[in-house]
Amino acid sequence: MNVYLGLDVGGTKVAVGVVTGAGEVLSTLRQDTAACRSGGDPLREIIHLGRAALAQVDGAALEGVGIALPGPVNRDGITMRAAPTIPELQEVSLRGPLTTAFGVPAAGDNDANACALAEARFGAGRGGRLVAYITLSTGIGGGIVGEGRVLRGVTGAAGEFGHQVLLPAGGPPCDCGNTGCLEALASGRGIARRAALAFAAEPAPGGPDHGQWTAERVAERARGGDMRARDVWSETALYLGLGISNIINLFDPDIIILGGGVAVGAADLLHDPIREVVRTRCMPSLVRTVEIRIAELRGHTGVVGAACLAMEMQHL
Amino acid sequence: MNVYLGLDVGGTKVAVGVVTGAGEVLSTLRQDTAACRSGGDPLREIIHLGRAALAQVDGAALEGVGIALPGPVNRDGITMRAAPTIPELQEVSLRGPLTTAFGVPAAGDNDANACALAEARFGAGRGGRLVAYITLSTGIGGGIVGEGRVLRGVTGAAGEFGHQVLLPAGGPPCDCGNTGCLEALASGRGIARRAALAFAAEPAPGGPDHGQWTAERVAERARGGDMRARDVWSETALYLGLGISNIINLFDPDIIILGGGVAVGAADLLHDPIREVVRTRCMPSLVRTVEIRIAELRGHTGVVGAACLAMEMQHL
C-alpha cells in the first residue's frame, strides 16, 4: 500500500505516523521532545521513530516523508530559521538526512501550514476551494490552502493571522514586538491576561496555590454562570470575529476553520458568538458564501499534516 | 503587430486603448460615460470607441479584448452584479457582444483588479513575485497579483483592503454597513470627514461658498504648515500603515503599491510616514523583504489594466 510518513516535531512531543493518501493513520508513535534531545542528536531519534512506525505497517510502499516543525522554515533545505524549543535543529538542513534515511523525497514546513493542509484536505475543509485555517492555542497562527496547496507568500510567512493589529493605540504588547495584535488580545495567553485584569480583586482560581488564570479556567467559570468570565469570552469572540472578518474581506475563502486547543476546547463559548460578529462586521456579499467551522481532526492533526506536506510536494 | 484592446469603463469616463504585449499604449480614445449612455446603448458606444482606437493603429493583429468595470463582476459572463453609475450594464453579459464585435476572446473584471495587474506587470510592481496593489481615492480598493495572475478568492472579491476593521468599537460608519473600516478612516472621504471634525470651529476652506473639505485641500493646508492638517495626515498614515502591515502579515508580498488619486497626489505627505508605521508595527522578519512603492503608471492605468485582463486570460 502506498503511504506517506509524517513527522510532527513539537516543542514538547514528537509524534510520527504512517498515513495513506486518503488521510488514514495506519500507525503512530510518540516521544517527549526532551527524550529525543537527551542523546544530543534529536534528528537521529526522530528518524529512528519514523522507521519504527513504518516497520509496524506490512507492505508499506513509502511515497514521501514530510516533517512539520515548531517555527519558521526555509523549505528549500528544510531548515528551521529559529528553534527555541529544539535548538539542535536550528539552521540544520534536514532535507539531505531525511531523503537519505527514507530513500524518498522529503518536504517540510511549519506546523501551522501542515495542520492547515491536514484540515483542508481531510478535516473540516473537505471540498473547500480556499480554506483559511486559524489555530488558537497559546498563540494564534494559521495557514491558507487553495486548490490543495498552501499559499505561502514570498518568504513562507503568509497566514500570520495572529499579527493583525486590531487596536491601533493602547493595545497590550505582543510577542512579535507590536501592540494590539489579535494574538495579544485573543490567544490563550491573551485570554488569561484579560481574565486576570477582570478578576483583579479576586485571588487566582482555587486559591494562591492554584496558579494563574488560563483559558480553560475562564471557560469553566463562564460555563458556571460567572458574568465576568462570560464577558472575557464575549470580548474574545469580538476580537476573533473581527480578525476572521478581515481574513474573509482580504482572501474571500469559502471555509474558515478554527483549530487549536483553545478553539476546540471552548467551541461552545466561541463558535456562535464569532459567527454573530462576522455576520454583522464582514462585507455582506461575502458572509453568504463562507462557512466557519471547528476543526475536525483530533489527536493526529500534526502527523497527518506532516504527511500532507509530502503529498502536496507530489502535486506541484 | 500583436496587440490587445483595453476598454476602461468608469463611472465618469470611458477610455479605450490599443496596448502591446509590452504594455505600450499605441492609441487611446475617451468619452464621458454620460455621453456613452445618452443614446440608450452604452455598450454599442464602447464597442464603437474600441473599433475607432483599433483603426488608428496600422497593421494591428488583435489578440484579445479586456474590459475593466466599475463594480463587482461575474467573470464567466463578464456581468456586472451592481452598476450604479452605468445601470444599463447591470446583469448584462458582455462576453458574447464583445467576442462577436472584435472576433477575439474577451475577459473582464472590476477596475481595481485590472489596475493591480497593470501596475504589477508594467508599473511599480515589475519583477515582483507577489504584489499587493492598494488604490486610495474616494474609497479604498485593491488587488493581489501573484506570478502575473490576480488572486481572486472564491467569489472574485479578494483584496477588499478597505474593509479591514481597524477600530473594533466607536469607529465611523462605512459604506459597506460596518464601522471602523480602513476605508471609513483613511479614504478620500474618510480624510475629509476627519478634517471637518478637526477644523470644526472654522468655516470650510475658501469660505462657505467654497464647498466641503477634500483630501486635496487638507494636503494644501498641511504643506502650508497647518498643524491640524498635518495631524489629519499623520493619522491617515497611521491607519494606512496598520492596514498595510496587516496585508503584509497575512499575504507576505514582496511589493506593496499605493495607487489612486489621493495616494499619488499626497505621496509627499504619506509615503515616508506610512513606511515608518510599517517598520514599527509589522512583523520584523517581513519588513525586511517588502518594499512599499507609489504607483508608476499615469493616466492610462485603467486602459492598460483592461488589456492586461486579456493577456492574463492567455496565460491560464
Side-chain angles (χ1 to χ4, degrees):
Chain A
M1 182 186 300
N2 292 352
V3 298
Y4 300 83
L5 179 63
L7 310 172
D8 175 28
V9 178
T12 54
K13 290 268 182 196
V14 173
V16 307
V18 178
V19 181
T20 70
E24 194 188 350
V25 180
L26 302 179
S27 74
T28 53
L29 289 169
R30 304 179 149 241
Q31 194 168 319
D32 286 348
T33 305
C36 283
R37 291 180 60 203
S38 62
D41 188 351
L43 180 58
R44 206 183 59 147
E45 289 303 310
I46 293 164
I47 288 171
H48 179 77
L49 271 181
R51 286 189 172 133
L54 274 170
Q56 293 178 354
V57 178
D58 286 337
L62 190 61
E63 292 273 329
V65 56
I67 188 164
L69 294 160
V73 175
N74 174 327
R75 293 168 65 236
D76 288 343
I78 313 181
T79 310
M80 291 189 77
R81 295 197 290 267
T85 55
I86 188 159
E88 297 84 353
L89 297 189
Q90 180 165 344
E91 298 296 350
V92 174
S93 171
L94 309 180
R95 181 174 297 286
L98 290 176
T99 307
T100 304
F102 297 104
V104 291
D109 203 345
N110 67 67
D111 44 13
N113 280 344
C115 290
L117 269 177
E119 278 290 340
R121 204 183 262 257
F122 301 119
R126 280 189 311 276
R129 284 173 54 201
L130 187 61
V131 177
Y133 172 79
I134 302 161
T135 170
L136 176 61
S137 54
T138 317
I140 293 180
I144 302 266
V145 179
E147 315 285 353
R149 302 199 33 211
V150 177
L151 275 61
R152 292 185 168 87
V154 165
T155 71
E160 282 287 3
F161 300 139
H163 300 290
Q164 303 177 56
V165 176
L166 286 184
L167 295 179
C174 186
D175 286 346
C176 74
N178 199 348
T179 61
C181 292
L182 178 61
E183 173 165 301
L185 293 161
S187 65
R189 266 201 304 264
I191 293 167
R193 184 196 288 123
R194 284 188 294 104
L197 289 172
F199 289 93
E202 198 174 318
D209 295 344
H210 207 120
Q212 300 297 310
W213 284 100
T214 62
E216 205 171 357
R217 284 176 191 149
V218 187
E220 283 164 20
R221 285 287 193 104
R223 290 187 194 108
D226 185 303
M227 291 309 293
R228 280 174 301 181
R230 287 183 175 227
D231 286 348
V232 170
W233 284 104
S234 298
E235 206 175 32
T236 305
L238 171 64
Y239 292 132
L240 289 169
L242 289 174
I244 289 170
S245 296
N246 288 347
I247 292 169
I248 296 171
N249 290 346
L250 266 57
F251 286 95
D252 187 11
D254 49 357
I255 298 175
I256 301 262
I257 304 174
L258 275 168
V262 174
V264 173
D268 57 324
L269 297 164
L270 283 175
H271 198 187
D272 287 341
I274 284 174
R275 284 198 281 206
E276 183 55 23
V277 172
V278 171
R279 202 184 59 73
T280 54
R281 302 297 292 269
C282 181
M283 292 193 74
S285 58
L286 298 180
V287 170
R288 287 192 289 274
T289 54
V290 67
E291 273 191 65
I292 300 170
R293 300 178 181 171
I294 301 295
E296 285 180 9
L297 302 178
R298 293 288 179 270
H300 299 314
T301 315
V303 166
V304 176
C308 283
L309 293 170
M311 297 177 203
E312 182 195 32
M313 174 178 57
Q314 288 191 324
H315 296 284
L316 272 179
Chain B
M1 181 188 301
N2 293 353
V3 298
Y4 300 82
L5 179 62
L7 309 173
D8 176 27
V9 179
T12 54
K13 292 266 182 197
V14 173
V16 307
V18 177
V19 182
T20 70
E24 195 188 350
V25 179
L26 301 179
S27 74
T28 53
L29 288 169
R30 307 179 149 240
Q31 194 168 318
D32 286 349
T33 304
C36 282
R37 291 181 60 202
S38 61
D41 189 352
L43 181 57
R44 206 181 58 144
E45 289 302 311
I46 293 164
I47 288 171
H48 179 76
L49 271 181
R51 285 189 173 135
L54 276 169
Q56 293 179 352
V57 178
D58 288 338
L62 190 61
E63 292 274 329
V65 57
I67 188 164
L69 292 160
V73 175
N74 175 326
R75 293 168 65 236
D76 289 342
I78 313 183
T79 310
M80 291 189 77
R81 296 196 289 266
T85 57
I86 189 160
E88 297 84 353
L89 298 188
Q90 181 165 344
E91 298 297 349
V92 174
S93 172
L94 308 180
R95 181 175 296 288
L98 290 176
T99 307
T100 305
F102 297 105
V104 291
D109 204 346
N110 68 67
D111 44 12
N113 281 343
C115 290
L117 269 177
E119 278 290 340
R121 205 182 262 257
F122 300 119
R126 282 190 309 277
R129 284 173 54 201
L130 186 62
V131 176
Y133 172 79
I134 302 161
T135 171
L136 175 61
S137 54
T138 316
I140 294 180
I144 302 266
V145 179
E147 316 285 349
R149 300 197 37 209
V150 176
L151 276 61
R152 292 186 168 86
V154 165
T155 72
E160 283 287 2
F161 300 140
H163 300 290
Q164 302 178 55
V165 177
L166 286 184
L167 294 180
C174 186
D175 287 345
C176 73
N178 198 350
T179 61
C181 293
L182 178 61
E183 173 165 302
L185 294 161
S187 65
R189 266 201 302 265
I191 292 168
R193 183 196 289 123
R194 285 189 292 105
L197 289 172
F199 289 93
E202 198 173 320
D209 294 343
H210 207 120
Q212 301 296 310
W213 283 101
T214 63
E216 206 172 355
R217 284 176 191 148
V218 187
E220 283 164 20
R221 286 286 192 106
R223 290 188 193 108
D226 186 303
M227 290 309 293
R228 280 173 303 181
R230 287 183 175 226
D231 286 348
V232 171
W233 284 105
S234 299
E235 207 176 31
T236 305
L238 171 64
Y239 292 133
L240 289 169
L242 289 174
I244 289 170
S245 297
N246 287 348
I247 292 169
I248 296 171
N249 290 345
L250 266 57
F251 287 95
D252 187 11
D254 49 358
I255 299 176
I256 301 261
I257 304 175
L258 275 169
V262 174
V264 173
D268 57 323
L269 297 163
L270 284 175
H271 198 185
D272 287 342
I274 284 174
R275 283 197 282 205
E276 183 57 23
V277 173
V278 171
R279 201 184 59 74
T280 55
R281 302 296 293 269
C282 181
M283 293 192 74
S285 57
L286 298 181
V287 171
R288 286 192 290 273
T289 54
V290 68
E291 273 191 66
I292 300 170
R293 300 177 182 171
I294 301 295
E296 285 180 8
L297 302 179
R298 293 288 178 271
H300 299 312
T301 316
V303 165
V304 175
C308 283
L309 294 170
M311 297 176 203
E312 183 195 31
M313 173 179 56
Q314 289 191 324
H315 296 284
L316 274 178

